[in-house]
Amino acid sequence: MAMSGVLRPGHMQLKVLDLEESIDFYTNVVGLIQTGREGDRAYFKAWDERDHHSLVLRGAGEAGMDFFGFKVTDDATLAKLEADLNAYGVTTERIPAGDLLETGERVRFEIASGHQIELYSQKTAVGTPMGDTNPPPWCAAAEQGIAPIRMDHALLYGPDIEKVQALFVDVLGFYLVEHILLEDGETDLAIWLSCSTKAHDIAFVRNEEPGKLHHTAFLLESWEKVLRAADLMSMNQVSIDMGPTRHGVTRGTTIYAFDNSGNRFETFCGGYATYPDIPPITWTWDEVGPAVFYHDRQLNPAFLDVYT
Amino acid sequence: MTAYTVTVAPEGRTFRCPDTKSILVGIEHNGGADAVQVGCRSGGCGVCRVEVLEGTYTAKRMSKAFCTDDDVAHGILLSCRAYPTSDLVVRPCPKPRDH
Protein backbone atom coordinates (compact mmCIF):
# COMPACT_ATOMS: atom_id res chain seq x y z
CA MET A 1 0.00 0.00 0.00
CA ALA A 2 1.50 3.30 -1.06
CA MET A 3 -0.21 5.34 1.65
CA SER A 4 0.15 4.06 5.18
CA GLY A 5 0.96 5.30 8.65
CA VAL A 6 -0.93 8.48 9.46
CA LEU A 7 -3.70 8.65 6.84
CA ARG A 8 -5.61 11.88 7.39
CA PRO A 9 -7.17 14.29 9.87
CA GLY A 10 -9.98 12.32 11.47
CA HIS A 11 -11.59 14.47 14.12
CA MET A 12 -11.58 17.86 15.77
CA GLN A 13 -13.20 18.38 19.17
CA LEU A 14 -14.26 21.99 19.56
CA LYS A 15 -15.40 23.81 22.68
CA VAL A 16 -18.58 25.82 22.17
CA LEU A 17 -20.46 28.32 24.30
CA ASP A 18 -23.91 26.77 23.94
CA LEU A 19 -24.21 23.22 22.64
CA GLU A 20 -27.81 23.45 21.41
CA GLU A 21 -27.17 26.67 19.49
CA SER A 22 -24.01 25.17 18.02
CA ILE A 23 -25.79 21.99 16.93
CA ASP A 24 -28.21 24.21 15.04
CA PHE A 25 -25.33 26.21 13.51
CA TYR A 26 -23.33 23.21 12.33
CA THR A 27 -26.43 21.42 11.06
CA ASN A 28 -28.27 24.20 9.29
CA VAL A 29 -25.58 26.72 8.35
CA VAL A 30 -22.42 24.64 7.89
CA GLY A 31 -24.52 21.74 6.62
CA LEU A 32 -23.00 18.81 8.47
CA ILE A 33 -24.95 15.68 9.43
CA GLN A 34 -25.37 15.00 13.14
CA THR A 35 -24.48 11.39 13.86
CA GLY A 36 -24.53 11.20 17.63
CA ARG A 37 -25.07 12.82 20.98
CA GLU A 38 -23.91 11.87 24.46
CA GLY A 39 -23.75 14.10 27.50
CA ASP A 40 -22.28 17.47 26.62
CA ARG A 41 -20.97 16.33 23.23
CA ALA A 42 -22.52 16.23 19.76
CA TYR A 43 -21.02 14.42 16.76
CA PHE A 44 -21.03 15.41 13.10
CA LYS A 45 -19.80 14.23 9.73
CA ALA A 46 -19.82 15.77 6.28
CA TRP A 47 -22.07 14.20 3.65
CA ASP A 48 -19.19 12.60 1.75
CA GLU A 49 -17.35 11.26 4.80
CA ARG A 50 -17.69 7.56 5.62
CA ASP A 51 -16.53 7.43 9.23
CA HIS A 52 -18.93 8.15 12.08
CA HIS A 53 -17.75 11.67 12.80
CA SER A 54 -15.13 14.26 11.98
CA LEU A 55 -16.32 17.07 14.25
CA VAL A 56 -17.24 16.82 17.91
CA LEU A 57 -18.72 19.80 19.73
CA ARG A 58 -18.43 20.04 23.50
CA GLY A 59 -20.51 22.52 25.47
CA ALA A 60 -17.86 24.27 27.55
CA GLY A 61 -18.77 27.89 28.18
CA GLU A 62 -15.74 28.98 26.19
CA ALA A 63 -14.34 28.52 22.70
CA GLY A 64 -11.26 26.68 21.49
CA MET A 65 -9.97 23.24 20.61
CA ASP A 66 -9.86 20.25 22.94
CA PHE A 67 -7.91 17.96 20.60
CA PHE A 68 -7.24 17.12 16.95
CA GLY A 69 -7.05 13.49 15.87
CA PHE A 70 -5.52 11.64 12.92
CA LYS A 71 -6.61 8.25 11.63
CA VAL A 72 -3.83 5.74 11.08
CA THR A 73 -3.79 2.63 8.91
CA ASP A 74 -4.50 -0.08 11.48
CA ASP A 75 -4.00 -1.22 15.07
CA ALA A 76 -0.42 -2.35 14.45
CA THR A 77 0.43 1.08 13.05
CA LEU A 78 -1.15 2.72 16.07
CA ALA A 79 0.97 0.60 18.41
CA LYS A 80 4.13 1.28 16.40
CA LEU A 81 3.56 5.04 16.31
CA GLU A 82 2.85 5.02 20.04
CA ALA A 83 6.14 3.24 20.66
CA ASP A 84 7.95 5.60 18.29
CA LEU A 85 6.52 8.60 20.13
CA ASN A 86 7.60 7.18 23.48
CA ALA A 87 11.09 6.46 22.12
CA TYR A 88 11.25 10.07 20.90
CA GLY A 89 10.52 11.19 24.46
CA VAL A 90 6.84 12.01 24.06
CA THR A 91 4.53 10.88 26.85
CA THR A 92 1.36 9.29 25.50
CA GLU A 93 -1.95 8.36 27.06
CA ARG A 94 -4.40 5.70 25.86
CA ILE A 95 -7.98 6.91 25.81
CA PRO A 96 -10.33 3.91 26.06
CA ALA A 97 -12.39 2.70 23.12
CA GLY A 98 -15.87 4.16 23.23
CA ASP A 99 -14.84 7.37 24.98
CA LEU A 100 -15.66 8.98 21.65
CA LEU A 101 -18.72 7.30 20.17
CA GLU A 102 -17.99 4.57 17.59
CA THR A 103 -14.24 5.10 18.01
CA GLY A 104 -11.51 2.73 19.14
CA GLU A 105 -8.62 3.43 21.46
CA ARG A 106 -6.90 6.73 20.92
CA VAL A 107 -3.28 7.59 21.65
CA ARG A 108 -3.15 11.16 22.93
CA PHE A 109 -0.10 13.34 23.44
CA GLU A 110 0.79 16.99 23.87
CA ILE A 111 3.07 18.63 21.33
CA ALA A 112 5.48 21.52 21.93
CA SER A 113 2.94 24.09 20.75
CA GLY A 114 0.67 23.07 23.61
CA HIS A 115 -1.94 21.20 21.55
CA GLN A 116 -3.46 17.80 22.32
CA ILE A 117 -3.01 15.52 19.31
CA GLU A 118 -4.47 12.04 18.94
CA LEU A 119 -3.96 8.99 16.77
CA TYR A 120 -6.53 6.24 16.34
CA SER A 121 -7.13 3.37 13.94
CA GLN A 122 -10.76 2.40 14.43
CA LYS A 123 -13.92 4.36 13.82
CA THR A 124 -17.18 2.88 12.60
CA ALA A 125 -17.70 3.44 8.89
CA VAL A 126 -21.33 4.50 8.82
CA GLY A 127 -21.07 5.32 5.13
CA THR A 128 -22.52 8.10 3.04
CA PRO A 129 -26.13 8.66 1.96
CA MET A 130 -25.06 7.59 -1.55
CA GLY A 131 -23.85 4.16 -0.45
CA ASP A 132 -20.87 2.20 -1.77
CA THR A 133 -22.50 0.36 -4.64
CA ASN A 134 -23.40 2.18 -7.86
CA PRO A 135 -23.48 5.47 -5.94
CA PRO A 136 -24.88 8.69 -7.37
CA PRO A 137 -22.35 11.56 -7.31
CA TRP A 138 -24.11 13.47 -4.57
CA CYS A 139 -27.18 13.45 -2.38
CA ALA A 140 -29.74 15.81 -0.88
CA ALA A 141 -27.43 16.57 2.05
CA ALA A 142 -24.88 17.94 -0.43
CA GLU A 143 -27.11 20.98 -0.96
CA GLN A 144 -28.26 21.64 2.61
CA GLY A 145 -26.31 24.52 4.08
CA ILE A 146 -22.70 25.10 3.08
CA ALA A 147 -22.36 21.29 2.92
CA PRO A 148 -18.61 20.67 2.74
CA ILE A 149 -17.44 17.28 1.52
CA ARG A 150 -15.07 16.72 4.44
CA MET A 151 -13.26 18.19 7.41
CA ASP A 152 -9.95 18.91 5.72
CA HIS A 153 -7.27 20.35 8.01
CA ALA A 154 -6.59 22.66 10.93
CA LEU A 155 -4.32 25.64 11.52
CA LEU A 156 -3.04 25.81 15.09
CA TYR A 157 -1.27 28.62 16.97
CA GLY A 158 1.47 28.05 19.51
CA PRO A 159 5.19 28.31 20.33
CA ASP A 160 8.13 26.08 19.34
CA ILE A 161 6.83 25.17 15.91
CA GLU A 162 10.26 23.88 14.85
CA LYS A 163 9.91 21.20 17.55
CA VAL A 164 6.40 20.48 16.30
CA GLN A 165 7.71 20.13 12.74
CA ALA A 166 10.46 17.77 13.86
CA LEU A 167 7.96 15.54 15.68
CA PHE A 168 5.51 15.43 12.79
CA VAL A 169 8.26 14.78 10.23
CA ASP A 170 10.61 12.49 12.16
CA VAL A 171 8.04 10.39 14.03
CA LEU A 172 4.69 10.70 12.27
CA GLY A 173 5.88 10.70 8.66
CA PHE A 174 4.63 14.11 7.57
CA TYR A 175 6.59 16.37 5.22
CA LEU A 176 6.94 20.14 4.93
CA VAL A 177 5.01 21.56 1.96
CA GLU A 178 5.27 25.32 2.44
CA HIS A 179 6.62 27.72 5.02
CA ILE A 180 6.72 31.46 5.68
CA LEU A 181 9.97 32.89 7.04
CA LEU A 182 10.41 35.67 9.56
CA GLU A 183 12.63 38.66 8.82
CA ASP A 184 15.79 36.83 9.93
CA GLY A 185 15.37 34.57 6.90
CA GLU A 186 15.82 31.46 9.04
CA THR A 187 13.04 31.18 11.60
CA ASP A 188 9.61 30.07 10.43
CA LEU A 189 6.52 32.14 11.13
CA ALA A 190 4.34 29.36 9.78
CA ILE A 191 4.58 25.79 8.46
CA TRP A 192 2.25 23.64 6.36
CA LEU A 193 2.64 19.88 6.81
CA SER A 194 1.16 16.98 4.83
CA CYS A 195 0.80 13.25 5.53
CA SER A 196 -0.82 12.69 2.14
CA THR A 197 -0.87 14.33 -1.28
CA LYS A 198 -2.90 17.25 0.07
CA ALA A 199 -1.10 20.60 0.24
CA HIS A 200 -1.65 20.47 3.99
CA ASP A 201 -3.18 18.23 6.60
CA ILE A 202 -2.15 20.45 9.49
CA ALA A 203 -0.45 23.83 9.77
CA PHE A 204 1.06 25.89 12.55
CA VAL A 205 1.71 29.60 13.11
CA ARG A 206 4.24 30.68 15.72
CA ASN A 207 2.44 32.32 18.63
CA GLU A 208 3.48 33.04 22.20
CA GLU A 209 0.27 31.72 23.72
CA PRO A 210 0.18 27.90 23.48
CA GLY A 211 -2.59 25.54 22.49
CA LYS A 212 -4.68 27.89 20.39
CA LEU A 213 -6.90 27.28 17.37
CA HIS A 214 -6.81 29.52 14.33
CA HIS A 215 -9.27 27.53 12.23
CA THR A 216 -10.81 24.21 11.33
CA ALA A 217 -11.16 23.84 7.56
CA PHE A 218 -13.95 22.20 5.61
CA LEU A 219 -13.46 21.29 1.95
CA LEU A 220 -15.72 22.51 -0.84
CA GLU A 221 -15.61 21.26 -4.41
CA SER A 222 -15.45 24.46 -6.41
CA TRP A 223 -14.92 28.22 -6.29
CA GLU A 224 -18.60 28.57 -7.12
CA LYS A 225 -19.40 26.68 -3.94
CA VAL A 226 -17.12 29.00 -1.99
CA LEU A 227 -19.19 31.93 -3.31
CA ARG A 228 -22.38 30.05 -2.42
CA ALA A 229 -20.97 29.57 1.09
CA ALA A 230 -20.40 33.33 1.34
CA ASP A 231 -24.02 33.94 0.32
CA LEU A 232 -25.21 31.50 2.99
CA MET A 233 -23.01 33.21 5.58
CA SER A 234 -24.59 36.58 4.86
CA MET A 235 -28.11 35.06 4.75
CA ASN A 236 -27.45 33.68 8.23
CA GLN A 237 -25.58 36.70 9.68
CA VAL A 238 -22.40 34.65 10.09
CA SER A 239 -19.37 36.70 11.11
CA ILE A 240 -16.98 36.66 8.13
CA ASP A 241 -13.31 37.31 8.85
CA MET A 242 -11.88 37.33 5.29
CA GLY A 243 -12.90 36.40 1.81
CA PRO A 244 -13.96 34.96 -0.48
CA THR A 245 -10.39 35.16 -1.68
CA ARG A 246 -7.37 33.02 -2.51
CA HIS A 247 -4.38 31.96 -0.44
CA GLY A 248 -0.92 32.26 -1.96
CA VAL A 249 0.11 29.33 0.23
CA THR A 250 -1.53 26.15 -1.18
CA ARG A 251 -3.29 28.27 -3.91
CA GLY A 252 -6.55 27.32 -2.24
CA THR A 253 -9.64 29.51 -2.40
CA THR A 254 -11.14 30.38 0.91
CA ILE A 255 -13.41 32.14 3.32
CA TYR A 256 -12.50 32.58 6.96
CA ALA A 257 -15.56 32.94 9.17
CA PHE A 258 -16.49 32.37 12.78
CA ASP A 259 -18.93 29.88 14.21
CA ASN A 260 -21.48 31.04 16.78
CA SER A 261 -18.92 30.52 19.58
CA GLY A 262 -16.15 32.47 17.88
CA ASN A 263 -14.18 29.48 16.63
CA ARG A 264 -12.83 30.38 13.21
CA PHE A 265 -13.65 27.96 10.42
CA GLU A 266 -12.59 27.93 6.80
CA THR A 267 -14.52 26.93 3.73
CA PHE A 268 -11.60 25.85 1.58
CA CYS A 269 -11.42 24.74 -2.03
CA GLY A 270 -8.56 23.52 -4.15
CA GLY A 271 -4.98 23.47 -3.09
CA TYR A 272 -2.64 21.50 -5.31
CA ALA A 273 -1.66 17.86 -4.99
CA THR A 274 1.87 17.29 -3.81
CA TYR A 275 4.29 14.47 -2.94
CA PRO A 276 6.98 13.99 -0.31
CA ASP A 277 9.82 14.36 -2.84
CA ILE A 278 8.76 17.84 -3.93
CA PRO A 279 10.90 20.59 -2.35
CA PRO A 280 9.02 22.89 0.05
CA ILE A 281 7.79 26.25 -1.19
CA THR A 282 9.27 29.21 0.70
CA TRP A 283 7.61 32.57 1.29
CA THR A 284 9.79 35.41 2.56
CA TRP A 285 8.68 37.77 5.34
CA ASP A 286 8.19 40.71 2.99
CA GLU A 287 5.63 38.69 0.98
CA VAL A 288 3.63 37.38 3.93
CA GLY A 289 0.61 39.39 2.77
CA PRO A 290 0.10 37.64 -0.57
CA ALA A 291 1.23 34.34 0.99
CA VAL A 292 -1.82 34.38 3.23
CA PHE A 293 -4.33 36.50 1.28
CA TYR A 294 -3.24 36.62 -2.35
CA HIS A 295 -5.61 39.37 -3.50
CA ASP A 296 -5.57 41.76 -0.52
CA ARG A 297 -1.79 41.24 -0.28
CA GLN A 298 -1.84 42.13 3.41
CA LEU A 299 -2.63 40.42 6.66
CA ASN A 300 -5.71 41.64 8.41
CA PRO A 301 -5.07 42.30 12.13
CA ALA A 302 -7.35 39.40 13.00
CA PHE A 303 -5.09 36.87 11.27
CA LEU A 304 -2.47 37.17 14.00
CA ASP A 305 -4.54 38.48 16.92
CA VAL A 306 -7.86 36.64 16.85
CA TYR A 307 -7.92 32.97 17.80
CA THR A 308 -9.61 30.74 20.35
CA MET B 1 -36.12 48.92 16.01
CA THR B 2 -34.82 51.56 18.39
CA ALA B 3 -31.41 53.20 18.06
CA TYR B 4 -29.21 54.45 20.88
CA THR B 5 -26.05 56.51 21.07
CA VAL B 6 -22.96 54.57 22.13
CA THR B 7 -19.99 56.67 23.24
CA VAL B 8 -16.53 55.09 23.27
CA ALA B 9 -14.38 56.50 26.06
CA PRO B 10 -11.93 58.07 26.51
CA GLU B 11 -11.91 59.62 23.01
CA GLY B 12 -15.64 60.18 23.14
CA ARG B 13 -16.49 59.13 19.59
CA THR B 14 -20.20 58.43 19.29
CA PHE B 15 -22.10 55.91 17.19
CA ARG B 16 -25.81 55.41 16.58
CA CYS B 17 -26.43 51.74 17.24
CA PRO B 18 -29.70 49.86 16.64
CA ASP B 19 -30.93 47.51 19.35
CA THR B 20 -31.02 44.75 16.74
CA LYS B 21 -27.23 44.61 16.50
CA SER B 22 -24.59 43.99 19.13
CA ILE B 23 -22.74 47.05 20.42
CA LEU B 24 -19.64 45.94 18.52
CA VAL B 25 -21.39 45.37 15.20
CA GLY B 26 -23.34 48.61 15.63
CA ILE B 27 -20.12 50.55 16.12
CA GLU B 28 -18.41 48.68 13.29
CA HIS B 29 -21.24 49.29 10.83
CA ASN B 30 -21.03 53.01 11.53
CA GLY B 31 -17.38 53.33 10.62
CA GLY B 32 -15.98 52.64 14.05
CA ALA B 33 -14.01 49.47 13.36
CA ASP B 34 -10.96 51.25 14.79
CA ALA B 35 -12.75 52.38 17.97
CA VAL B 36 -13.14 48.90 19.45
CA GLN B 37 -11.02 45.94 18.36
CA VAL B 38 -13.05 43.59 16.16
CA GLY B 39 -12.52 39.87 16.57
CA CYS B 40 -14.82 36.90 16.07
CA ARG B 41 -18.06 38.86 16.75
CA SER B 42 -19.36 35.67 18.33
CA GLY B 43 -18.37 35.80 21.99
CA GLY B 44 -15.33 33.53 21.85
CA CYS B 45 -12.07 35.36 21.18
CA GLY B 46 -12.23 38.13 23.77
CA VAL B 47 -10.66 41.00 21.85
CA CYS B 48 -13.74 43.28 21.93
CA ARG B 49 -13.98 43.26 25.75
CA VAL B 50 -15.28 46.56 27.14
CA GLU B 51 -16.35 48.06 30.43
CA VAL B 52 -19.76 49.67 30.39
CA LEU B 53 -19.46 52.96 32.28
CA GLU B 54 -23.04 54.17 31.80
CA GLY B 55 -26.27 52.74 30.43
CA THR B 56 -28.13 49.46 30.13
CA TYR B 57 -27.94 46.47 27.81
CA THR B 58 -28.89 42.83 27.46
CA ALA B 59 -26.09 40.30 27.17
CA LYS B 60 -25.96 36.90 25.47
CA ARG B 61 -23.67 34.06 26.46
CA MET B 62 -19.95 34.83 26.10
CA SER B 63 -16.68 33.03 26.80
CA LYS B 64 -15.99 32.63 30.49
CA ALA B 65 -12.29 32.61 29.61
CA PHE B 66 -12.56 36.35 29.04
CA CYS B 67 -15.57 37.45 31.09
CA THR B 68 -16.34 35.70 34.34
CA ASP B 69 -19.80 35.94 35.83
CA ASP B 70 -18.30 38.50 38.23
CA ASP B 71 -16.96 40.56 35.30
CA VAL B 72 -20.36 40.56 33.63
CA ALA B 73 -22.02 41.57 36.90
CA HIS B 74 -19.65 44.55 36.99
CA GLY B 75 -20.34 45.60 33.41
CA ILE B 76 -17.23 44.07 31.88
CA LEU B 77 -18.31 42.11 28.84
CA LEU B 78 -17.65 41.29 25.22
CA SER B 79 -19.24 44.04 23.17
CA CYS B 80 -20.13 41.55 20.41
CA ARG B 81 -22.56 39.84 22.81
CA ALA B 82 -24.29 42.86 24.33
CA TYR B 83 -27.24 44.74 22.85
CA PRO B 84 -28.04 48.33 23.89
CA THR B 85 -31.27 49.12 25.74
CA SER B 86 -30.30 52.75 26.44
CA ASP B 87 -27.60 55.21 25.45
CA LEU B 88 -24.25 53.78 26.57
CA VAL B 89 -20.74 54.83 27.46
CA VAL B 90 -18.18 52.04 27.03
CA ARG B 91 -14.42 51.86 27.42
CA PRO B 92 -12.26 49.21 25.69
CA CYS B 93 -10.95 46.84 28.32
CA PRO B 94 -8.92 44.10 26.61
CA LYS B 95 -7.85 41.23 28.82
CA PRO B 96 -4.12 40.50 28.62
CA ARG B 97 -3.41 37.20 26.91
CA ASP B 98 -1.92 34.38 28.99
CA HIS B 99 1.63 33.66 27.95
Side-chain angles (χ1 to χ4, degrees), chain A residues 35 43 52-53 98-104 120 122-126:
Chain A
T35 55
Y43 295 70
H52 180 262
H53 59 266
D99 173 77
L100 280 177
L101 291 181
E102 305 293 334
T103 306
Y120 68 95
Q122 303 290 338
K123 189 179 287 183
T124 304
V126 298

Side-chain angles (χ1 to χ4, degrees), chain A residues 70-76 78 104-105 119-123:
Chain A
F70 292 92
K71 191 172 191 185
V72 306
T73 317
D74 50 29
D75 292 348
L78 185 65
E105 277 192 302
L119 306 175
Y120 68 95
S121 55
Q122 303 290 338
K123 189 179 287 183

Side-chain angles (χ1 to χ4, degrees), chain A:
Chain A
M1 178 163 51
M3 189 179 289
S4 60
V6 179
L7 295 176
R8 61 174 177 272
H11 55 238
M12 162 70 78
Q13 181 165 304
L14 277 181
K15 294 182 282 188
V16 298
L17 299 181
D18 183 295
L19 184 58
E20 302 305 327
E21 289 180 6
S22 294
I23 288 171
D24 180 67
F25 180 86
Y26 279 94
T27 301
N28 295 313
V29 180
V30 180
L32 301 180
I33 299 169
Q34 187 178 350
T35 55
R37 172 76 188 264
E38 46 89 19
D40 60 358
R41 294 196 290 199
Y43 295 70
F44 294 86
K45 67 184 276 296
W47 63 270
D48 201 27
E49 289 177 318
R50 293 167 52 91
D51 285 356
H52 180 262
H53 59 266
S54 58
L55 178 71
V56 182
L57 305 179
R58 180 173 73 83
E62 61 181 55
M65 178 185 106
D66 279 329
F67 52 80
F68 190 58
F70 292 92
K71 191 172 191 185
V72 306
T73 317
D74 50 29
D75 292 348
T77 303
L78 185 65
K80 179 181 187 306
L81 289 170
E82 181 182 34
D84 292 347
L85 284 163
N86 296 155
Y88 195 77
V90 176
T91 302
T92 57
E93 172 191 8
R94 281 253 176 179
I95 311 293
D99 173 77
L100 280 177
L101 291 181
E102 305 293 334
T103 306
E105 277 192 302
R106 292 129 64 205
V107 172
R108 183 185 290 176
F109 51 98
E110 182 170 310
I111 58 175
S113 55
H115 299 92
Q116 301 293 319
I117 301 295
E118 297 185 345
L119 306 175
Y120 68 95
S121 55
Q122 303 290 338
K123 189 179 287 183
T124 304
V126 298
T128 73
M130 297 84 72
D132 292 332
T133 303
N134 308 325
W138 50 278
C139 59
E143 296 201 321
Q144 291 169 3
I146 293 170
I149 57 176
R150 68 171 181 240
M151 191 274 288
D152 189 76
H153 65 267
L155 171 56
L156 308 180
Y157 272 37
D160 294 327
I161 61 173
E162 53 286 307
K163 292 179 185 170
V164 171
Q165 180 178 333
L167 176 73
F168 272 85
V169 171
D170 296 344
V171 184
L172 300 178
F174 285 61
Y175 59 100
L176 180 69
V177 181
E178 302 206 29
H179 61 145
I180 300 175
L181 293 168
L182 291 171
E183 190 173 353
D184 68 7
E186 296 177 0
T187 312
D188 283 322
L189 167 67
I191 54 175
W192 283 260
L193 301 168
S194 180
C195 63
S196 63
T197 60
K198 290 158 58 186
H200 55 335
D201 288 294
I202 192 166
F204 293 88
V205 166
R206 185 181 303 279
N207 185 57
E208 267 189 76
E209 196 176 9
K212 293 299 171 182
L213 171 68
H214 184 270
H215 70 260
T216 311
F218 297 97
L219 187 68
L220 298 178
E221 293 170 286
S222 69
W223 170 238
E224 187 176 8
K225 291 203 169 175
V226 175
L227 298 181
R228 177 179 173 276
D231 291 341
L232 286 165
M233 289 174 190
S234 279
M235 289 176 197
N236 289 282
Q237 292 86 47
V238 174
S239 171
I240 294 177
D241 180 25
M242 178 59 76
T245 185
R246 180 196 286 279
H247 292 308
V249 173
T250 76
R251 301 183 207 148
T253 51
T254 178
I255 306 167
Y256 284 154
F258 296 99
D259 75 7
N260 60 324
S261 298
N263 292 305
R264 191 186 278 99
F265 68 100
E266 176 177 31
T267 52
F268 177 81
C269 172
Y272 49 78
T274 187
Y275 291 89
D277 65 306
I278 295 177
I281 289 171
T282 299
W283 296 82
T284 54
W285 72 276
D286 53 312
E287 294 295 321
V288 64
V292 177
F293 299 122
Y294 196 69
H295 301 152
D296 288 72
R297 281 168 268 149
Q298 57 188 343
L299 295 185
N300 62 340
F303 183 79
L304 292 175
D305 296 340
V306 176
Y307 46 79
T308 57

Side-chain angles (χ1 to χ4, degrees), chain A residues 17-18 21 60-63 208-210 212 239-241 258-263 301-302 305-308, chain B residues 28 37-47 60-67 78 81 96-99:
Chain A
L17 299 181
D18 183 295
E21 289 180 6
E62 61 181 55
E208 267 189 76
E209 196 176 9
K212 293 299 171 182
S239 171
I240 294 177
D241 180 25
F258 296 99
D259 75 7
N260 60 324
S261 298
N263 292 305
D305 296 340
V306 176
Y307 46 79
T308 57
Chain B
E28 192 183 6
Q37 192 177 349
V38 179
C40 70
R41 306 184 192 90
S42 304
C45 79
V47 306
K60 293 185 176 179
R61 197 181 295 240
M62 63 192 80
S63 171
K64 293 184 186 303
F66 296 101
C67 293
L78 302 184
R81 300 294 275 180
R97 291 277 188 180
D98 299 326
H99 291 313

